[in-house]
Amino acid sequence: MAYLGNYNSPTDLMNDQTLSRDEKINMLQQWRDDKKALLRAANEGMQGGDPSDVLRKIKKALRCLQTDSND
């Protein structure tokens, strides 16, 4: 979880100029998968914060990176 503790939001990760596009995609995908797991756990009655807002931001950032590669 390379993003953990280093970025408060997907926007922070996107703005990190020290990361390559591929590194950003990999980290965002990992973050997305972690948030999806939290949503599944919440749906099963486990406690935790609402990860859906962060998940939307992660998906938006991934779309942006993937669109950039198609230009």
Side-chain angles (χ1 to χ4, degrees):
M1 290 190 255
Y3 64 87
L4 192 61
N6 293 320
Y7 305 99
N8 293 319
S9 71
T11 303
D12 290 344
L13 189 148
M14 291 288 290
N15 290 332
D16 186 343
Q17 299 302 312
T18 65
L19 297 173
S20 71
R21 181 184 158 280
D22 288 340
E23 289 172 318
K24 290 177 184 180
I25 289 172
N26 288 334
M27 290 172 75
L28 286 165
Q29 288 174 334
Q30 184 179 20
W31 202 346
R32 177 200 60 204
D33 294 345
D34 291 344
K35 291 302 176 186
K36 283 183 177 181
L38 282 175
L39 279 174
R40 281 192 303 275
N43 288 336
E44 294 172 0
M46 299 177 90
Q47 296 295 329
D50 179 16
S52 59
D53 184 50
V54 174
L55 187 56
R56 280 190 294 274
K57 291 176 182 176
I58 291 168
K59 288 179 179 180
K60 181 179 178 183
L62 282 167
R63 281 192 305 270
C64 180
L65 287 169
Q66 291 164 345
T67 300
D68 286 348
S69 71
N70 292 329
D71 292 340

